[in-house]
Every structure is written in C-alpha cells, then in structure tokens.
Amino acid sequence: MASSTVPDAAPSSTPSPPGSSSAAPEAKSAPEAIRELPAKYAGAARTAKPIGHTSVVFKLELTNGAKAVFKPASRRGPLRYKGEIAAYRLASALGLVNVPPAFARTFDRAELLGALGGETSPGGELLKSEATGSDSKSKGSLVGWIDKLEFLPLEAEPLRSRWHGWLAKGNAIPDEPFDADAGSPLATRDLAAQTSTLVAFDYLTGNWDRWSGANVGFDRGKGLLLFVDNDGAFFENPPKDALARNTRILESVDRFSRGFIEHVRNLDERALAIAIADETPGAPLLSQKVLRTVLERRKELLRVVDAKIAANGEAETLFFP
C-alpha cells in the first residue's frame, strides 16, 4: 500500500518509549473508547482510485476533503479487512500507538462506483469484479491517509542483521540516533524496542504477511514505527509456513518490553473479548475460533518470554520499559 494511516484517535494510555507499553494492564472497551467512526471519516466518497497491488484497496477523498484508505471485503480476501480493525483494537488494549486507527465502514456500492469514475473505469471494473456482499453495499475497513509515509525495510539487509543484533542478549545498542542525517528524533534503542514489540505483536495476531516487504511504516517526525497492513492477521486458517517463520523470529528475540509483556499477561479471555468487540452491534468482528487461537498464541508467547527470563535473567529479557 503506498500510504497508510496516522493515529487520529489515540488510545487512552500512551506508551513511553513508542513500542513499549504503560503499566496499566486492564483492557478497555472497544465500543467505549475506539470503535466509533470519527466524524471526519463519515462523509460520502467524492473521488476514489485503486492503489492495491495484491489486495483490493482504494484511496478515497470524502466530501469534506478528508482522505482515507478503504479496504472492502473482496473475493481476494473476504475477511481480510477485519484484520486491520482487530489489530488496531487489540493494540489499543495493549497500550500501543503503533497500529494506525482502523474503523468499520460501509459505503453504497453506487456511491463508490461514481467516485471511481463509473462502472467501466479501471477502478469500477475492479470493484464490480472483486467486491463481495450485497449488490448495493460494500463493507470494509477505513483508515486515514498520511502523506509522505516512509517504510523501513526491516525484512532486508542491512537492517535485518542490525535489529537482530540489538535484540540479542548481551549485545550493546548504540547510544545514538538511528538516522541522524535525515533529522529523525528516533533513537536506535527506541527503534530496537519498537521492533521487538512488532515481532511479539505479529506473533500474537498471527500476521503472516509482515515480512513480505514494505509492511512497516515509519513516521520520521515522531520517531514512530507504524505497524501497517494488518490484513494478514487473525486468519482462521493462516499459512502454516508463514506462522512457523513468525515463531522462528520470535524465538530469536531475547529482549522485550516489560510494559507490553505485562499487558499480554493480563489479556485473558474476557479482556480479549472486550478489546475486539463487535463489528456492528450484535455481529462479532472475529469468530470464536480466531479468538481461541489468539489466546493460544498468547500462552506460547509468554512461555517463550518466561523461558528466556529463566535462562538470561529478568533484566536482560524485559530489557525495554
């Protein structure tokens, strides 16, 4: 995706540094805190164009001038849009501000076709051929557009070896800005902390698509990693080889955020249900099967962390705030 979101509705607890979590572990109610669509994104679509490569994604300009990304339910991924919404809600419950706000939104199909330039336009043909649901409505996830979004290629060298080294026990982390020449306030230690939390968060959500390329956003001005493109998370039957890769990456990490792990420890069945909540009243966002697999991965994540605490000590394992 060429660009993505920036937080418009910040969670009530702000982590410090980014990528770690505050100490308050109680999951908050998604309906109460973050579920409602902000008024700025409630308008009709004025213009739209396709921007996806492998998925069906549209950049919209609404009638009030607000810009957003709409990912509808489609034949390429009927439920993938739910991952964007669920990842934001879960991240908020875990005290993270790295996942861009994502909201459930339904548009009139005719409205979208008009914004795309009509049924015979390239975007209109894409919507007609790929969109699922009723002939009159298109439901999906909506996130706010951010101009000049950068991406950090954490999946590629030389960054891959650098962050693996920072997160290995006993290794020094340079006490310097990560990219001083470009004017970013991001310290190398903060980048290491946020990357550690990204690995653990993706393991928890089962996001099998993070490391395929250009899926880690970077807000240079805030020094913040943005965990964008979460539509590969929360699958009922995710690709086993990709999940195995997530496990290998998690097991290679020796250092975690103390605050984030505290939040994960308190993410029991009830807290998870409160965090994820409904897509619309009476319609659960995620199935019970998906919620059970999240709890299973939570258990395994904590097993890995506790084994490292036993082997390397608490201070070395819960290395970041």
Side-chain angles (χ1 to χ4, degrees):
M1 194 164 68
S3 189
S4 185
T5 61
V6 69
D8 288 300
S12 62
S13 59
T14 302
S16 180
S20 62
S21 302
S22 63
E26 182 177 353
K28 60 185 180 179
S29 166
E32 174 186 350
I34 61 172
R35 178 175 166 182
E36 292 186 6
L37 181 73
K40 67 181 290 186
Y41 296 130
R46 179 164 57 196
T47 63
K49 65 177 182 180
I51 59 171
H53 299 291
T54 59
S55 57
V56 180
V57 188
F58 299 101
K59 179 183 178 182
L60 309 181
E61 183 176 342
L62 305 181
T63 50
N64 65 355
K67 297 177 182 178
V69 173
F70 181 60
K71 186 171 293 185
S74 71
R75 290 184 174 84
R76 299 184 193 179
L79 304 179
R80 291 189 68 153
Y81 75 92
K82 292 174 177 274
E84 305 286 1
I85 303 166
Y88 170 52
R89 292 182 181 182
L90 181 58
S92 298
L94 296 174
L96 300 178
V97 296
N98 304 80
V99 176
F103 306 96
R105 178 73 204 267
T106 299
F107 287 94
D108 288 333
R109 188 74 57 84
E111 175 188 324
L112 283 179
L113 286 171
L116 286 163
E119 294 187 2
T120 59
S121 68
E125 292 284 357
L126 177 66
L127 182 67
K128 285 197 307 175
S129 64
E130 294 290 345
T132 60
S134 72
D135 292 336
S136 62
K137 301 289 184 181
S138 287
K139 66 178 181 179
S141 62
L142 190 80
V143 294
W145 181 266
I146 177 173
D147 290 319
K148 299 180 180 179
L149 176 66
E150 298 180 52
F151 292 90
L152 281 186
L154 298 181
E155 72 283 352
E157 298 295 351
L159 271 180
R160 180 170 56 187
S161 292
R162 292 177 68 188
W163 67 259
H164 272 289
W166 299 333
L167 301 182
K169 63 180 179 180
N171 285 354
I173 300 176
D175 186 18
E176 60 188 20
F178 165 65
D179 193 3
D181 293 341
S184 173
L186 179 63
T188 299
R189 185 182 180 93
D190 286 348
L191 175 58
Q194 293 180 68
T195 303
S196 168
T197 297
L198 170 66
V199 169
F201 183 75
D202 280 347
Y203 181 84
L204 188 64
T205 66
N207 188 348
W208 57 268
D209 194 36
R210 176 69 64 200
W211 304 105
S212 61
N215 287 326
V216 182
F218 182 38
D219 186 326
R220 185 173 296 276
K222 295 180 179 179
L224 185 69
L225 289 189
L226 294 177
F227 306 171
V228 299
D229 290 338
N230 293 287
D231 67 349
F234 303 103
F235 272 40
E236 287 204 352
N237 297 293
K240 292 182 179 180
D241 57 342
L243 286 190
R245 178 179 58 185
N246 281 6
T247 299
R248 291 193 300 271
I249 295 173
L250 176 70
E251 291 176 341
S252 74
V253 171
D254 293 326
R255 293 167 165 172
F256 299 89
S257 159
R258 180 182 295 272
F260 178 75
I261 295 303
E262 286 179 358
H263 278 80
V264 173
R265 290 193 191 280
N266 285 278
L267 187 71
D268 59 14
E269 183 177 1
R270 179 177 179 275
L272 179 62
I274 290 172
I276 300 300
D278 290 347
E279 180 176 357
T280 56
L285 178 61
L286 300 179
S287 69
Q288 286 300 310
K289 178 180 178 180
V290 171
L291 294 178
R292 286 195 300 271
T293 61
V294 173
L295 292 172
E296 290 168 2
R297 287 191 296 266
R298 167 195 172 272
K299 183 178 180 180
E300 180 61 16
L301 169 60
L302 293 177
R303 186 199 66 76
V304 170
V305 171
D306 288 339
K308 289 180 182 288
I309 290 175
N312 305 326
E314 183 173 311
E316 180 64 37
T317 304
L318 302 181
F319 189 83
F320 305 110

